[in-house]
Amino acid sequence: MLPNLPDPRTPDPVVDAYRAGIDMSLVEENLRLSHAQRVEKAETFIRSLDAIRGIAMKRINEIDQA
Amino acid sequence: MTSSLLQQFADLFEKHDVDAILIGGWAAIVHGSARSTMDVDFVYSRDRENLARIVEALKPLSPYLRDAPPGLPFVWDVKTLEAGLNFTLTTSIGPIDLLGEVPGGGGYLDLINQTQRVDLATSVLRCVDLDCLIQLKKAAGRPKDLEAVAELIQIMERGSQG
């Protein structure tokens, strides 16, 4: 813990307001994985997003050219 | 299958003995976060020898300033790193942020005692521990950071060991 910053456990009403929106089921899945597995899982998801974006842009270009 | 962006940077840093600490979104992922992120953030030691090691490690990836207009002269060398502090870079494999200092957290020497060793598939790196990561994100204070803090605090309550 950094001595010059507040204790992370100090209650914060702004942060608490965000808590309700967090889907912890996804996190709990991650907590069963090793660090390396967590990184690989996240990278796979990011690559999927890139692939979807690529397909979407290709489709948009096809529509524009039609 | 290509290894992850973080893994590739970690491999390079380990190979070149670079002193750098993982923070930010990928540090949160290491601790179990389900939030996605793009660029990889490292706080690096500004020791001159380490700057030379960083230059060598990333040189093959042709680093360039991410927000600079194309064609702006940018020389990737120790002198450039000495003249600046925080660099948001694009490389041939993806984006990386090299931070000499972060809000509230200081620099590499301020953070090194608040880190843990993280074993990735093909290399080891140092990552801020969960307490420190929460403190840094609170200090950054953007809405997305506070949303991340809400998740990280719940991870802390559950235990995050990987």
Side-chain angles (χ1 to χ4, degrees):
Chain A
M1 188 159 48
L2 290 165
N4 56 310
L5 291 177
D7 188 316
R9 290 159 188 79
T10 303
D12 184 326
V14 175
V15 169
D16 286 346
Y18 283 114
R19 282 180 72 128
I22 307 292
D23 182 352
M24 288 304 289
S25 65
L26 298 173
V27 170
E28 278 162 21
E29 253 182 51
N30 290 341
L31 293 181
R32 289 191 273 271
L33 304 176
S34 68
H35 292 138
Q37 288 170 330
R38 292 171 192 174
V39 166
E40 191 51 48
K41 184 181 169 195
E43 181 74 12
T44 300
F45 176 65
I46 290 166
R47 283 201 199 114
S48 304
L49 291 179
D50 285 344
I52 291 168
R53 280 193 203 104
I55 292 166
M57 287 310 301
K58 188 178 168 199
R59 185 70 190 124
I60 288 168
N61 290 337
E62 285 169 357
I63 291 169
D64 283 346
Q65 284 162 18
Chain B
M1 185 174 165
T2 312
S3 51
S4 72
L5 185 61
L6 173 61
Q7 182 71 76
Q8 291 180 74
F9 283 126
D11 289 349
L12 281 170
F13 282 359
E14 186 178 79
K15 181 180 170 187
H16 292 272
D17 207 21
V18 168
D19 293 324
I21 298 166
L22 180 69
I23 64 168
W26 278 103
I29 286 168
V30 162
H31 286 292
S33 171
R35 298 166 62 84
S36 65
T37 186
M38 294 303 293
D39 54 327
V40 182
D41 301 312
F42 283 101
V43 173
Y44 66 100
S45 165
R46 287 192 53 82
D47 172 89
R48 198 167 204 273
E49 288 175 2
N50 194 53
L51 298 185
R53 294 194 290 262
I54 292 173
V55 167
E56 277 313 297
L58 297 184
K59 193 186 287 185
L61 308 184
S62 306
Y64 192 76
L65 290 173
R66 203 149 73 229
D67 301 321
L72 187 78
F74 177 71
V75 178
W76 179 246
D77 62 10
V78 171
K79 202 170 157 187
T80 295
L81 289 183
E82 281 182 325
L85 184 64
N86 293 343
F87 298 88
T88 51
L89 301 169
T90 185
T91 75
S92 57
I93 62 170
I96 181 171
D97 289 356
L98 294 177
L99 307 168
E101 278 183 12
V102 290
Y108 179 88
L109 292 176
D110 300 300
L111 294 177
I112 191 59
N113 291 330
Q114 320 299 332
T115 64
Q116 64 187 75
R117 173 196 164 110
V118 169
D119 290 304
L120 299 183
T122 51
S123 56
V124 177
L125 55 74
R126 296 228 62 100
C127 176
V128 283
D129 62 31
L130 187 53
D131 279 8
C132 181
L133 181 59
I134 292 171
Q135 288 179 301
L136 292 178
K137 285 208 170 271
K138 275 189 173 179
R142 297 167 299 182
K144 69 173 187 172
D145 294 309
L146 299 181
E147 196 175 342
V149 166
E151 185 196 43
L152 291 171
I153 285 177
Q154 294 188 74
I155 290 174
M156 182 171 65
E157 290 166 354
R158 280 160 172 77
S160 79
Q161 293 305 308

